[in-house]
Every structure is written in structure tokens, then in C-alpha cells.
Amino acid sequence: VLPARMPNLLVNGSTGIAVGMATNIPPHNLAEVCRALLKLLDDPEIKIYQLVANDAIQGPDFPTGGQILNTREEIREIYKTGQGAIRLRATWQAGPITRGGKAIYITSIPYTVNKATLVEAIAQVVLSRKLPPLVDVKDLSAEDVRIELTLKKDADEQMVMAYLCKHTPLQTNFNVNLTCLVPTENPEVGRPDRLDLKEILWHFLHFRLEVVTKRLEHELAELNRRIHILEGFAQVFDALDEIIKIIRKSEGKADAAKKIIERFKLDEEQTDAILELKLYRLARLEIQIILDELETRKKRVREIKKLLNEEEATGRWGLVRQEIQELLTKYGPTSGGGKDKDRGRRRTLIEAVTDEPEYSAEDFIIEEDNVVILSRDGWVKRQKEIKDASSTRLREGDSVLAVQPGSTRATIAFFSNYGTCYSARIADLPASTGYGEPIQKFFKLKDGEKIVAAISLDPRVTSGIKAADAPKLAPSKGKKAAATEETPVVVPPTHTLAATSDGYALRFSLEPFLEPSTRSGRRYARPSGAGTPGGAEVTGVSLTRGTEIILAATHQAHAMVCQVQEVNFLAGPGKGVLLIKLQKEDDRLLGFILVHDSERKQLMVETSRGAEQSISTAKYEITGRGGKGREAMKTGTFERIKWEAMADEAEVPAMLEEES
């Protein structure tokens, strides 16, 4: 243990993790800690709230500066309980306003935050266009931190900084844990304990008292040793001529020492010092210096004995106080200028934010119309506009699955083949003219799970999702009614149709997916054996108003043409009802499209012979669901649906107003 004069535990802080315990002590201002120690010396019964004051410890003082957002009451509670969270935020100041925009300069960053990491996180916000008012970030730091943020001219600085504080390390929490090793009867073992501020200061003061005591004891031992030597000198000064004769007649140093000890009754230590004495010290003036030193050291011995014997150690406590006061004078704040102007000053501001404006997640999103593009391999991106879906940049072998317009504040739903819907705000998707990002980066998809459809939930695109003032019908009581998935409910004007590979279909509401989901998503269907070998999976999801016609095709070249309203609407996720009866074990439903009576839209399929064949309402008449459908080809099978051919015919909406 080093005899430190200042409480390093508080001034420099400490962070550590052990087995079953941890500590996280923030750094403090040296001058404030010294003033608190002096207050505790003056009044041992002082309360913690009196130690956490303007004339003592105001709170942690981090070397990187920053601003503490906690109130004085919160800080006092942290020091009282020994634990709590310090909310620490960077500081900034407004820069000049130019024609191109305006600037904000970050002048300090939170403790333990890496500046390069912070700049990188802000740059990522700029590149992802999640905060359009923020245009650029530059690191102009030299000796001091100076990070320049370039904003648009009409940007709200408070909103921009509030967003960055929430989504970057510009604001962090320092979780205080005042766990310390407290001295025990065994000096080799410390007992871990969570202390309050007063206890830490108390332990340091008693440590200083112990250091002062041991220092005095050590000094006393050294003085006594020196006095013993000086007394030997004083005893032989009057017989120097005799000592010189003894030395000259002796056979060596050992023989001379033996004779001197016998003659003058000195011990070996005194005799050795006499024999080592230089000849010039035999002068009368030097002899007087030795006598004066002897008197001075005896006087100091009396002073030390008085300090060590004094009741309640009041004298030693005075030394402790004096040394703390010297620290405060030497390293505390000064009123002078020059290089000492910043000496001892506090670096971290303590300013509780009480009237800070509240911003919701919606406020951070700048509303603008975008188009979301989803590829078949699961890559997603958004762009401001797209004129031709076939010209968008895709990875080799990939193709466009869905193009959905919507506001950045709107939600988009992604439907997987396992019956799970993943929804997110359009603003949270990557803005890119490249490939975009894989959908797995935003959601937790299972092995083998893939997205088969995407639908924008912008009210201008999908109006009428909710059935206004239409209560759900209560299911009838009874065993059969309780087990069925077909409990009647009021169907919203706009809802969704999904079909699975085992020939089943269901209609369901989009209302549960209007809000962004978690990474695990929400269920919309329960295909039989989904996710298992040979299990069914969703082949397609499409918006419907209940008046369209379904055109569906199976692998065994059977086609089903029926009304959408034939498929039951479910209040919750389920298996659905039979759309088409499959003929063989290896048969499966490839997919479907929806058409209006007035539309001339065809379902194009690729056959096992490499040819293409169309299914339309003009070619096949409408029947009821649940049958085996129409035989579309005598020999051969359907291999896949030609989605690309239909996508070429579809126009990408250029204006959301036209879509609505």
C-alpha cells in the first residue's frame, strides 16, 4: 500500500470485475474532495447531503468533460446508497449560419467514449439518411475535442442533437458502484463492501492517520539511532588524544575497536562511527556542530513523543488536516492567469435538464415519399423514386420480388413462407442505390425461412385496413365452434389473402401489423408442418378487397379460378380453408394472383417442356373452391410461375396519390 496523500479511489476512480462482485467508481475533482475531507474533519457527524454541496463534492468530474444531467437530489441519493446511474452527455455549441446551412460544434464527449467510434456512429446516421437534417460530420479536433456537424439551414438543432443523443454514444450512462475493499484485522485481506461517500472519506482519513503515525514512529526510530551515535561522539571529544594513541598502537580496526570499547564503555555502533570519523571533524568548530545537532534532534524527539502520546491523536489529526490543506492550496483552483488559469477547475458541468422538449420516434422521421424494393433473395432497400423496377441494381441471379411505395413514417410488412409477418418503418430500411441490405439484418428469420411478399401499409396505398365501428361477432358456444378457425368476424374493406403449398388459403386483417414488430415478428398464418421437411409453406400474400378472382396453379398442371370471397376470413392466425385439392403426394400449390373482372391479367406459368402457358378468366370459367380445379395441361407439369413476365407488365406507382 503506497502512502498516498490524496484519495486516489475517488479522484482517479476505479473500475473492476471480480467473482460475484464489481466496482465502478467515477473520477472526482481533487479540490472538491479535499474540501469534503476538511468538512468531515471539522464535523465527524456531518450528513452526506452536506458533503454533496457547492463547497464540497458537487458530483463526479470526468477528465473528458461533458454534462451530467442528474439533479442534485439524484446525485445525493447515489452517494448515499453507493449505486446509481449518472447520465452523461456531450456538450456542444452553435456555429455560424451560412448559405449552405448551419453548424454545431461538439466540444466534449462522455467519459470512456472513443472519439473515432463516436464520429463513425454519427457518420453512419448521415449515410443511412435516418436524420435528413444532418448533412455531414467532420472531426476538427486538435488538443481539444471539436467535432463539426453540418445541418440544413431550416433544421431544428435541438431535435437533431436529441436524436444523436438517443442513437449514438453522444449520451451514455455511468453506472456508479461504490464497492470497495475495506481493511480488516488481517492486513493481508480486505473485505468487499458497498460504501457511501462519507464512509469512503472516513476510511481515507483514518488511513492518513495511520500513515502519519507510522511516519512519526519511523522518524523517531531514526532520530534515536542518530542521537545514540552523537552521544558517542560527545563522550570521546575530551579524550581525542587518548583515542588517537589507542588507534596508533592497535593492530588494526578490530583491535582498536575492542580497546576503545573497553576504555570508554561504548557499544560497537558508536565505536564504528568514531573509527570512521574524518580527521577534519576533529576541529573545535566541527565538534560544536555535532553538539548542536545532538540538541536539535533531542528536541525533535520530545515533539514526536508528545504527538504519539497525545490523547485521541489530536495532534496527528492536525498533521492530517495540514497536509490536506497543502494539497488544496497547491492543486486547487487559482484566481491567477497564465498557464495556471485552468488549474483545479471543474471540467464536467452539472446541469439537470428539466425543460428539455420531448420528441417521439415520429418526430425524428422526416416525412418524404420513398419506394421500397425487395428482391427474391431477401435484399431490401429504399429510394426516393424508381422509374423502372427492372433497371434497379441487383446481385447476380437475383430479381425483384416487390416494389412498394410509402411515406418514411409509414410501416411496411414483410410476409414469410413460415407464416410470420415482420413489419418495420420505411425510414428504418437502408437508403441505397446499390444492393441494399439482407432482410436478416433487421429481423430474426429461422433456418429456411424467406420473405415471399411485401405490402406497404401507408394509408394512401392500403386504405380501409380497419373496420370502423364494426365489433367482432362473438363465436357461438359449443365444442365445434370453439375448435373452428372460421369464427365469423366483420371483414375490413382492405385485407390480405394468403395461400399455402398444400392447397389451403385464408384471409386476414392487416391491423395487427400496423405498428413495427420485434425482430421475431408476428404470426399471420399457421401452415401445416411449416419449417419441417415436407411441411407446407406460404407461397404468396396479396392485398384484396374481397371482390377479386383468384387464379392459382399447382405443380400437376391444375388451375383453380374462384372468387376471393369463397375463402374464409380468420380473426387470428390459422391454417385456413381448402382452396384446391391436390391430386398427388408430390403435388403443391405454386402460387396465385388476384384479378378484377375488368382486368385482362393472366397467370403465366413455365411448363416442364420449357414452354409458357397462361391461366385467365377468359380461358377457364369460375368455379367454387375446394375442388381439384381445371386440368390446364394433359401431359407434363407446371414448374414455376413466371413472376418476371407479370412484373414487366405492372407499372411502378410514380405518385402515391395516384395509387390511393
Side-chain angles (χ1 to χ4, degrees), residues 569-581:
F569 183 91
L570 302 186
K575 181 179 177 181
V577 294
L578 188 63
L579 176 65
I580 184 170
K581 189 180 295 182

Side-chain angles (χ1 to χ4, degrees), residues 117-129 134 136-137 168:
T117 304
L118 174 63
V119 173
E120 184 179 348
I122 298 175
Q124 190 61 39
V125 173
V126 176
L127 293 174
S128 63
R129 286 178 49 212
L134 181 61
D136 194 15
V137 56
T168 70

Side-chain angles (χ1 to χ4, degrees), residues 97-101 153:
I97 300 176
T98 62
R99 290 184 179 180
K153 196 170 184 179

